[in-house]
PDB file of all heavy atoms in Angstrom:
ATOM      1  N   GLN F 514     131.194  66.732  57.966  1.00 91.00           N
ATOM      2  CA  GLN F 514     132.264  65.811  58.305  1.00 91.00           C
ATOM      3  C   GLN F 514     131.861  64.884  59.447  1.00 91.00           C
ATOM      4  O   GLN F 514     130.859  65.116  60.118  1.00 91.00           O
ATOM      5  CB  GLN F 514     133.533  66.573  58.732  1.00 91.00           C
ATOM      6  CG  GLN F 514     133.356  67.473  59.955  1.00 91.00           C
ATOM      7  CD  GLN F 514     132.742  68.808  59.626  1.00 91.00           C
ATOM      8  OE1 GLN F 514     133.200  69.482  58.721  1.00 91.00           O
ATOM      9  NE2 GLN F 514     131.696  69.180  60.334  1.00 91.00           N
ATOM     10  N   PHE F 515     132.649  63.817  59.635  1.00 91.00           N
ATOM     11  CA  PHE F 515     132.616  63.068  60.887  1.00 91.00           C
ATOM     12  C   PHE F 515     133.519  63.814  61.863  1.00 91.00           C
ATOM     13  O   PHE F 515     134.691  64.051  61.586  1.00 91.00           O
ATOM     14  CB  PHE F 515     133.132  61.633  60.689  1.00 91.00           C
ATOM     15  CG  PHE F 515     132.154  60.725  60.008  1.00 91.00           C
ATOM     16  CD1 PHE F 515     132.455  60.134  58.794  1.00 91.00           C
ATOM     17  CD2 PHE F 515     130.928  60.458  60.589  1.00 91.00           C
ATOM     18  CE1 PHE F 515     131.551  59.296  58.160  1.00 91.00           C
ATOM     19  CE2 PHE F 515     130.005  59.615  59.970  1.00 91.00           C
ATOM     20  CZ  PHE F 515     130.326  59.039  58.749  1.00 91.00           C
ATOM     21  N   GLN F 516     132.972  64.173  63.007  1.00 90.00           N
ATOM     22  CA  GLN F 516     133.731  64.968  63.970  1.00 90.00           C
ATOM     23  C   GLN F 516     133.878  64.186  65.272  1.00 90.00           C
ATOM     24  O   GLN F 516     132.901  63.706  65.846  1.00 90.00           O
ATOM     25  CB  GLN F 516     133.028  66.306  64.224  1.00 90.00           C
ATOM     26  CG  GLN F 516     133.881  67.318  64.989  1.00 90.00           C
ATOM     27  CD  GLN F 516     133.246  68.707  65.006  1.00 90.00           C
ATOM     28  OE1 GLN F 516     132.201  68.930  64.403  1.00 90.00           O
ATOM     29  NE2 GLN F 516     133.885  69.650  65.682  1.00 90.00           N
ATOM     30  N   ASP F 517     135.114  64.038  65.717  1.00 90.00           N
ATOM     31  CA  ASP F 517     135.399  63.324  66.959  1.00 90.00           C
ATOM     32  C   ASP F 517     135.231  64.254  68.154  1.00 90.00           C
ATOM     33  O   ASP F 517     135.368  65.474  68.024  1.00 90.00           O
ATOM     34  CB  ASP F 517     136.839  62.794  66.945  1.00 90.00           C
ATOM     35  CG  ASP F 517     137.057  61.769  65.846  1.00 90.00           C
ATOM     36  OD1 ASP F 517     136.166  60.933  65.664  1.00 90.00           O
ATOM     37  OD2 ASP F 517     138.112  61.827  65.171  1.00 90.00           O
ATOM     38  N   PRO F 518     134.940  63.701  69.328  1.00 91.00           N
ATOM     39  CA  PRO F 518     134.922  64.526  70.537  1.00 91.00           C
ATOM     40  C   PRO F 518     136.259  65.236  70.723  1.00 91.00           C
ATOM     41  O   PRO F 518     137.332  64.649  70.488  1.00 91.00           O
ATOM     42  CB  PRO F 518     134.660  63.513  71.658  1.00 91.00           C
ATOM     43  CG  PRO F 518     133.929  62.404  70.990  1.00 91.00           C
ATOM     44  CD  PRO F 518     134.508  62.308  69.610  1.00 91.00           C
ATOM     45  N   ASN F 519     136.185  66.525  71.097  1.00 91.00           N
ATOM     46  CA  ASN F 519     137.335  67.414  71.306  1.00 91.00           C
ATOM     47  C   ASN F 519     138.007  67.854  70.008  1.00 91.00           C
ATOM     48  O   ASN F 519     139.005  68.581  70.047  1.00 91.00           O
ATOM     49  CB  ASN F 519     138.380  66.776  72.227  1.00 91.00           C
ATOM     50  CG  ASN F 519     137.836  66.500  73.611  1.00 91.00           C
ATOM     51  OD1 ASN F 519     137.153  67.353  74.201  1.00 91.00           O
ATOM     52  ND2 ASN F 519     138.091  65.306  74.142  1.00 91.00           N
ATOM     53  N   GLN F 520     137.464  67.440  68.864  1.00 92.00           N
ATOM     54  CA  GLN F 520     138.021  67.901  67.587  1.00 92.00           C
ATOM     55  C   GLN F 520     137.488  69.296  67.279  1.00 92.00           C
ATOM     56  O   GLN F 520     136.315  69.604  67.494  1.00 92.00           O
ATOM     57  CB  GLN F 520     137.641  66.946  66.458  1.00 92.00           C
ATOM     58  CG  GLN F 520     138.214  67.336  65.099  1.00 92.00           C
ATOM     59  CD  GLN F 520     137.776  66.394  63.994  1.00 92.00           C
ATOM     60  OE1 GLN F 520     137.114  65.375  64.247  1.00 92.00           O
ATOM     61  NE2 GLN F 520     138.147  66.708  62.755  1.00 92.00           N
ATOM     62  N   VAL F 521     138.359  70.155  66.741  1.00 94.00           N
ATOM     63  CA  VAL F 521     138.005  71.544  66.438  1.00 94.00           C
ATOM     64  C   VAL F 521     137.921  71.723  64.923  1.00 94.00           C
ATOM     65  O   VAL F 521     138.846  71.337  64.194  1.00 94.00           O
ATOM     66  CB  VAL F 521     139.039  72.524  67.027  1.00 94.00           C
ATOM     67  CG1 VAL F 521     138.707  73.958  66.632  1.00 94.00           C
ATOM     68  CG2 VAL F 521     139.086  72.398  68.544  1.00 94.00           C
ATOM     69  N   ILE F 522     136.809  72.286  64.460  1.00 94.00           N
ATOM     70  CA  ILE F 522     136.601  72.584  63.040  1.00 94.00           C
ATOM     71  C   ILE F 522     136.597  74.100  62.862  1.00 94.00           C
ATOM     72  O   ILE F 522     135.752  74.795  63.441  1.00 94.00           O
ATOM     73  CB  ILE F 522     135.277  71.992  62.518  1.00 94.00           C
ATOM     74  CG1 ILE F 522     135.239  70.482  62.707  1.00 94.00           C
ATOM     75  CG2 ILE F 522     135.058  72.370  61.060  1.00 94.00           C
ATOM     76  CD1 ILE F 522     136.236  69.719  61.884  1.00 94.00           C
ATOM     77  N   PRO F 523     137.532  74.650  62.093  1.00 94.00           N
ATOM     78  CA  PRO F 523     137.510  76.100  61.837  1.00 94.00           C
ATOM     79  C   PRO F 523     136.551  76.433  60.697  1.00 94.00           C
ATOM     80  O   PRO F 523     136.484  75.717  59.696  1.00 94.00           O
ATOM     81  CB  PRO F 523     138.963  76.396  61.440  1.00 94.00           C
ATOM     82  CG  PRO F 523     139.454  75.118  60.832  1.00 94.00           C
ATOM     83  CD  PRO F 523     138.730  73.995  61.521  1.00 94.00           C
TER      84      PRO F 523
END
Side-chain angles (χ1 to χ4, degrees):
Q514 60 278 310
F515 284 119
Q516 192 170 357
D517 296 318
N519 298 316
Q520 182 182 355
V521 176
I522 301 294

